[in-house]
């Protein structure tokens, strides 16, 4: 039997009787469940039941509110697929997956607002602003701004916890600015919380999910907060009140999104643009692919476009038709997944790019690209893996749309870090999904200075979301997540508890390993992986690194010894009265400022541990 036929037969056979999903519900909902089961089997199961990369399993989807699934199909990540279904069919699929009808989800408790919500945010308080803290994206909190000493770190305890109502995931980078925590949630609600108490100063509802951190700064005489959503919109709101200042749609491609955090610098907001077209490309009927990654410079005061540069200069053209007659296009891809890095000395912006989605592979995919800060003109690019054209057809049951190049999908999910070496020479250091860490010369057109392998790498392996660097070393968390083979078991992927993880300290000067901290292990925890996909942060002589196993650990920068270990995967009493628990730590890393360490916890993707909590730690919890 052909691979696609085998997959469809397997998922059809594996769909449970709808009556086992929800017994005793009203007849109308039961009918929707039954209809939804058939719709799911025909249109969704081939991806969600077979554990494809970047695809949440049915088990993960079953934990969501039905409203979230409908929103994803109507205006979210799955809006392209959802457009082929009627409103009633979308609700039927949601009812099948969750056993609940839209409207059944109970309302969360009233949000606890701060008594001093009208007071403006402090402007001189220590901060962790945006993704990488500094224009160089080094994720290094220097000196007194951390408010911690090495002796304080072992005494860190939870000061407060905040729950995201109805969410099964809390995987985003928080920001600390002006005595407030700015953080996004899955449905797109932005919270400004008091750093010390966790009460809410204001909230703002974006149109759809927000995965970026929030960058805060002055724009046109106003203290503003900036972020992007997964529909390709960028927002500016008043940082003191949450009032919308402007909103701008940065790309017209139907599945473009903003995943990397926009960077505010000198009156302009630099926005990286990505997409999930490599997911849509798995469908043989989809005309893969036409998206190109880009950087957009906006006037921070008004949102007006100053310039926009596609990192693939050539527009996609028709290439060939696939075996079912669908016209294919290329070149495409090279999404910019991470926050831009600013070089103040040379007025340059550096971005790292994703893989190509279709043939022919682009020369600027899997690359570091340097652009002129003022004009957006490309100064140079350095490709680290050539020929990496990939989409999810390559690993799925129907390879029709897989590019002939069939690349390894080992692009960049994290930004380059700009550092100055002891010699005075400068370098861009960055980890790749190939599990190779590179140093490039920004002053010699990206010439490779050194490359060091730390693991096996792969589509989900190697370095995922980011490293941190101080003045001597780069600290690199290793994913290398692996899964146990379960055939067509629709329970979804099961992480291998014996593979992946570890933290590596490499010398900035030559890439040689200073130390390596092996993962402590899962110790029998179900659905556990030791992989360390989340970005690291460094402060107070320690490296903070979260793990898919649910632990947030602090490692000594001297030798990699663990000086503090907190298991976030448990239930919490929250300041906002929402039932919350922690889980896997991924995508976002800890923000450190003013004696506080703030992180999100919960990420059920890849068979991990779901959760919905924001945790704030302080010395002795005081």
């Amino acid at each position: 039997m052909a691979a696609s036929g085998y997959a469809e037969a397997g998922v059809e056979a594996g769909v449970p009787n709808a009556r086992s999903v929800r017994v005793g519900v009203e007849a109308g909902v039961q009918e929707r469940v039954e209809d939804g089961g058939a719709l799911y089997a025909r249109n969704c199961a081939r991806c969600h039941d077979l554990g494809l990369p970047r695809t949440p399993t049915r088990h993960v989807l079953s934990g969501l509110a039905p409203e979230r699934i409908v929103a994803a199909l109507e205006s979210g990540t799955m809006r392209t697929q959802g457009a082929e279904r009627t409103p009633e069919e979308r609700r039927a699929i949601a009812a099948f997956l969750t056993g609940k009808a839209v409207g059944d989800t109970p309302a969360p408790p009233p949000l606890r607002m701060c008594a001093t919500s009208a007071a403006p945010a402090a402007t001189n308080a220590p901060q962790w602003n945006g993704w990488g803290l500094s224009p160089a994206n080094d994720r290094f909190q220097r000196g007194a701004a951390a408010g911690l000493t090495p002796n304080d770190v072992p005494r860190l305890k939870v000061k407060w916890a905040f729950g995201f109502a109805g969410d099964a995931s809390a995987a985003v980078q928080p920001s600390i600015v002006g005595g407030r925590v700015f953080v996004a949630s899955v449905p797109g609600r932005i919270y400004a919380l008091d750093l010390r108490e966790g009460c809410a100063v204001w909230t703002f509802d974006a149109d759809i999910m927000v995965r970026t951190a929030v960058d805060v700064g002055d724009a046109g005489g106003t203290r503003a907060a900036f972020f992007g959503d997964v529909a390709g919109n960028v927002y500016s709101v008043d940082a003191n009140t949450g009032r919308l200042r402007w909103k701008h749609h940065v790309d017209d491609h139907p599945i473009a999104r903003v995943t990397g955090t926009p960077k505010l610098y000198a009156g302009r907001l630099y926005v990286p643009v990505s997409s999930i077209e490599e997911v849509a490309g798995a469908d043989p009927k989809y005309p893969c692919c036409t998206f190109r990654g880009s950087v957009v410079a906006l006037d921070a005061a008004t949102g007006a476009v100053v310039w926009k540069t596609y990192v693939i200069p050539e527009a996609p053209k028709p290439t060939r038709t696939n075996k079912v007659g669908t016209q294919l296009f290329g070149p495409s891809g090279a999404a910019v997944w991470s926050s831009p890095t600013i070089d103040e000395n040379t007025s340059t912006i550096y971005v790292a790019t994703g893989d190509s989605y279709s043939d022919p592979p682009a020369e600027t995919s899997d690359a570091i690209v340097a652009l002129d800060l003022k004009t957006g003109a490309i100064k140079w690019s350095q490709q680290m893996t050539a020929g990496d054209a990939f989409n999810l057809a390559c690993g799925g049951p129907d390879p029709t749309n897989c590019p002939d190049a069939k690349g390894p999908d080992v692009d960049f999910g994290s930004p380059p870090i700009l550092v100055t070496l002891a010699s005075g020479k400068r370098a861009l250091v960055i980890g790749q999904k190939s599990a190779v860490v590179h140093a490039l010369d920004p002053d010699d057109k990206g010439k490779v200075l050194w490359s060091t392998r730390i693991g096996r790498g792969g589509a989900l392996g190697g370095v995922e979301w980011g490293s941190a660097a101080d003045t001597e070393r780069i600290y690199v968390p290793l994913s290398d997540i692996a899964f146990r083979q379960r055939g067509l078991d629709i329970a979804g992927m099961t992480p291998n508890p014996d593979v992946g993880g570890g933290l590596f300290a490499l010398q900035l000067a030559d890439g040689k390993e200073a130390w390596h901290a092996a993962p402590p292990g899962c110790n029998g925890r179900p659905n556990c992986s030791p992989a360390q996909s989340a970005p690291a942060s460094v402060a107070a002589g320690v490296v903070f690194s979260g793990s898919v196993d649910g632990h947030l650990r602090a490692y000594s920068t001297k030798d990699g010894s663990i000086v503090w270990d907190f298991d976030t995967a448990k239930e919490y009493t929250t300041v906002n009265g929402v039932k919350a628990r922690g889980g896997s730590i991924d995508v976002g890393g800890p923000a450190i400022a003013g004696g506080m360490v703030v992180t999100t916890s919960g990420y059920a993707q890849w068979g991990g541990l779901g959760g919905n909590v924001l945790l704030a730690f302080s010395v002795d919890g005081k």
Side-chain angles (χ1 to χ4, degrees), residues 458-533:
L460 297 175
V463 184
E464 286 288 302
W465 293 108
S467 308
D470 56 21
T471 58
E472 297 180 357
R473 297 168 180 166
I474 180 172
Y475 304 96
V476 190
L478 178 68
S479 172
D480 271 2
I481 192 169
F483 303 94
R484 288 176 168 163
Q485 297 297 319
R486 300 185 67 175
L488 293 176
D489 187 341
I490 63 171
M493 295 182 291
T494 299
N496 188 328
D498 302 319
V499 179
L503 183 68
F504 293 77
L506 307 180
Q507 302 286 0
L508 291 174
D510 55 17
K512 292 182 179 179
E513 183 180 306
W515 51 258
H516 163 221
C522 285
N523 300 313
R525 168 169 282 171
N527 294 329
C528 177
S529 167
Q532 290 170 242
S533 306

Side-chain angles (χ1 to χ4, degrees), residues 178-236:
R180 295 176 180 173
V181 177
F182 297 86
V183 66
S185 64
V186 170
R189 174 162 289 184
I190 308 298
Y191 296 88
L193 308 175
D194 182 85
L195 175 60
R196 295 295 168 184
E197 303 296 331
C199 57
V201 180
W202 54 257
T203 65
F204 174 85
D205 289 328
D207 294 349
I208 198 172
M209 178 194 296
V210 172
R211 292 192 60 180
T212 73
V214 178
D215 204 4
V216 179
D218 293 325
T222 301
R223 191 76 163 165
F226 302 90
F227 48 91
D229 70 19
V230 299
N233 299 309
V234 176
Y235 303 78
S236 173

Side-chain angles (χ1 to χ4, degrees), residues 123-205:
T123 57
N124 58 350
Q127 66 179 27
W128 184 288
N129 196 4
W131 174 264
L133 176 62
S134 69
N137 272 332
D138 55 18
R139 300 185 63 88
F140 175 29
Q141 185 64 280
R142 293 159 174 80
L148 297 170
T149 68
N151 292 332
D152 290 332
V153 174
R155 296 165 52 198
L156 289 172
K157 295 181 180 178
V158 175
K159 180 174 176 62
W160 54 262
F162 183 92
F164 299 106
D167 292 356
S169 173
V172 69
Q173 173 71 47
S175 298
I176 301 173
V177 181
R180 295 176 180 173
V181 177
F182 297 86
V183 66
S185 64
V186 170
R189 174 162 289 184
I190 308 298
Y191 296 88
L193 308 175
D194 182 85
L195 175 60
R196 295 295 168 184
E197 303 296 331
C199 57
V201 180
W202 54 257
T203 65
F204 174 85
D205 289 328

Side-chain angles (χ1 to χ4, degrees), residues 57-101:
T57 63
R58 188 196 302 184
H59 173 72
V60 172
L61 296 174
S62 69
L64 299 175
E67 293 84 357
R68 298 287 166 82
I69 293 175
V70 171
L73 290 168
E74 291 183 344
S75 59
T77 300
M78 301 300 292
R79 59 188 180 274
T80 301
Q81 294 83 352
E84 300 177 358
R85 309 270 70 83
T86 67
E88 183 60 27
E89 286 175 333
R90 293 192 286 266
R91 283 157 178 74
I93 291 170
F96 165 72
L97 287 168
T98 66
K100 300 175 184 177

